[in-house]
Amino acid sequence: MGKKQLRGMTLDELKAVAAEAALPGYAAGQIADWLYKKRADGIQSMANLPAAKRNLLEETYETGATPPVNAMQSADGTIKYLFKAGENRFVESVYIPSGDRATLCVSSQAGCKMGCLFCMTGKQGFAANLTAAEILNQIHSIPEAAKLTNIVFMGMGEPLDNASELFKVLDILTAPYGYAWSPKRITVSTIGLPKSLKRFLDESNCHLAVSLHSPYPAERLSLMPAEKAFPMADTIELIRQYDFSHQRRVSFEYIMFKGLNDSRKHAEDLARLLCRIPCRVNLIRFHAVPGVPLESADTAQMEAFRDTLNAKGILCTVRSSRGEDILAACGMLSTAKKDYICADEIS
Ligand code: SF4
């Protein structure tokens, strides 16, 4: 059995570790400082802990940092990293530099249960929830870690389907003992799982992004089987109960499929659905997924859709495509790696 990872533990969990080692309570704060502020690469670096206690901690724990196993850089500067997450399992993180922003898109699960038609990760099926340590490792272990300005939970998996680990990570990222980031630098994207979404809205001030993709339940169901268990009407009803007019932002993600959800009527009905919610809509180009008979809407159609929403008072932008030359669609690199490993093992 491997050692337990300290990076990924909340302050309360570190207090339990300190108590176990008969260290005073304040030592938990010292360990957190080494892990999250000083980026210690080993327990022996924690110089203000007594040497005997460092040796004792080392018998059971390690700081925990696993570098990516692969990286692909796009011509536009986007870098897709691949991390190992268990036996023959891989997850992706995408580093997206843009002007003075540097965003990392992180994964919360290996695979996903939600089975969205347009998503490569959905095609993989569900393999495992990532631990808080595995999620945080993506943020900690890329070479550009110190440059990051924003984190988006939009990689592989449904973050709110791994709520307990997600909330630990959000705590570590935003609490004074941890990275002390403003919640305004963090966005969690979800299809809308009501129980965990309510907890997220109650307990966190991070931004919210909701994957919508259609204003019509039946059409959304044809793209996203999860619409049956988690209807968008319930999600929108819940969102209406919270204030998004000041610090916190809610956005709705809308992948535009040619001839499917890109008509003027779609835009008008979407505006009606979202009326009086202070929000923005992000229009996203579809990156082709093998075996999926869907095409991206063209730029003119997307711009017309955007203009219709803007004219109805809904802030709408066409999100620029990044990293198309490195298999940008979520899940494609990890699937390629898995296939490669499987082929390797068979031959
Ligand atoms: S789009 Fe998101 S929720 Fe849907 S299958 Fe892919 S990872 Fe899961």
Side-chain angles (χ1 to χ4, degrees):
M1 193 116 158
K3 291 185 180 180
K4 294 184 199 162
Q5 313 237 311
L6 290 175
R7 192 172 284 107
M9 288 191 182
T10 61
L11 189 60
D12 283 347
E13 290 172 322
L14 291 172
K15 281 180 184 164
V17 169
E20 198 183 286
L23 280 160
Y26 63 79
Q30 292 175 317
I31 297 172
D33 189 57
W34 284 107
L35 291 169
Y36 303 127
K37 300 229 165 49
K38 299 196 175 93
R39 302 174 52 82
D41 56 6
I43 290 171
Q44 290 303 338
S45 314
M46 300 179 180
N48 51 2
L49 299 183
K53 297 295 182 186
R54 296 200 300 259
N55 293 339
L56 182 65
L57 287 173
E58 246 185 351
E59 289 173 14
T60 313
Y61 299 99
E62 59 190 5
T63 47
T66 312
V69 294
N70 196 1
M72 291 173 82
Q73 177 145 15
S74 162
D76 67 17
T78 302
I79 306 174
K80 185 169 270 199
Y81 288 104
L82 195 66
F83 288 92
K84 203 162 189 306
E87 213 33 54
N88 198 21
R89 282 202 299 263
F90 298 90
V91 296
E92 302 170 9
S93 316
V94 183
Y95 173 74
I96 309 161
S98 175
D100 55 2
R101 285 167 72 102
T103 302
L104 188 71
C105 176
V106 300
S107 294
S108 52
Q109 296 179 313
C112 184
K113 295 174 198 161
M114 303 303 151
C116 300
L117 178 67
F118 47 82
C119 174
M120 200 67 194
T121 304
K123 282 178 165 288
Q124 288 182 11
F126 177 73
N129 278 327
L130 299 189
T131 62
E134 288 171 324
I135 297 172
L136 216 50
N137 183 57
Q138 298 166 59
I139 298 164
H140 176 83
S141 293
I142 60 166
E144 300 80 8
K147 293 186 202 163
L148 291 176
T149 61
N150 295 76
I151 303 286
V152 292
F153 288 83
M154 290 187 184
M156 299 170 68
E158 161 56 58
L160 293 183
D161 189 40
N162 186 13
S164 59
E165 300 303 294
L166 173 75
F167 283 108
K168 277 197 226 173
V169 173
L170 295 180
D171 187 51
I172 293 164
L173 286 173
T174 57
Y177 75 84
Y179 289 81
W181 275 33
S182 161
K184 284 185 278 183
R185 295 166 63 187
I186 300 167
T187 301
V188 173
S189 174
T190 178
I191 61 162
L193 309 189
K195 206 166 142 221
S196 299
L197 178 57
K198 180 160 185 353
R199 182 178 164 198
F200 173 75
L201 292 170
D202 287 337
E203 293 181 15
S204 160
N205 285 316
C206 296
H207 296 316
L208 171 68
V210 176
S211 302
L212 210 52
H213 312 315
S214 174
Y216 311 124
E219 189 173 79
R220 188 172 188 253
L221 180 64
S222 72
L223 295 165
M224 304 170 68
E227 164 68 17
K228 189 168 182 194
F230 311 115
M232 65 174 172
D234 294 353
T235 303
I236 290 170
E237 183 53 37
L238 180 61
I239 286 170
R240 283 190 190 283
Q241 295 167 26
Y242 291 81
D243 180 9
F244 287 97
S245 58
H246 299 297
Q247 298 290 313
R248 191 177 212 182
R249 193 174 65 220
V250 59
S251 57
F252 293 91
E253 310 295 305
Y254 195 100
I255 303 179
M256 288 202 64
F257 303 105
K258 188 176 198 166
L260 181 78
N261 64 353
D262 59 350
S263 71
R264 185 181 173 89
K265 180 158 173 28
H266 277 85
E268 289 171 348
D269 287 339
L270 183 60
R272 215 163 286 130
L273 184 70
L274 302 179
C275 72
R276 292 192 300 282
I277 299 177
C279 65
R280 68 175 66 182
V281 171
N282 291 319
L283 302 180
I284 304 165
R285 273 184 193 84
F286 174 56
H287 295 276
V289 168
V292 174
L294 293 170
E295 274 181 65
S296 182
D298 56 37
T299 301
Q301 200 69 14
M302 292 178 82
E303 288 175 353
F305 199 98
R306 175 198 63 195
D307 293 346
T308 303
L309 281 171
N310 282 339
K312 292 195 173 290
I314 294 193
L315 179 63
C316 178
T317 49
V318 176
R319 199 188 287 157
S320 60
S321 265
R322 300 293 304 265
E324 281 185 87
D325 52 336
I326 53 165
L327 305 174
C330 163
M332 289 188 80
L333 182 60
S334 61
T335 302
K337 178 77 177 174
K338 195 168 163 224
D339 289 349
Y340 169 75
I341 297 250
C342 291
D344 221 30
E345 281 173 353
I346 290 162
S347 59

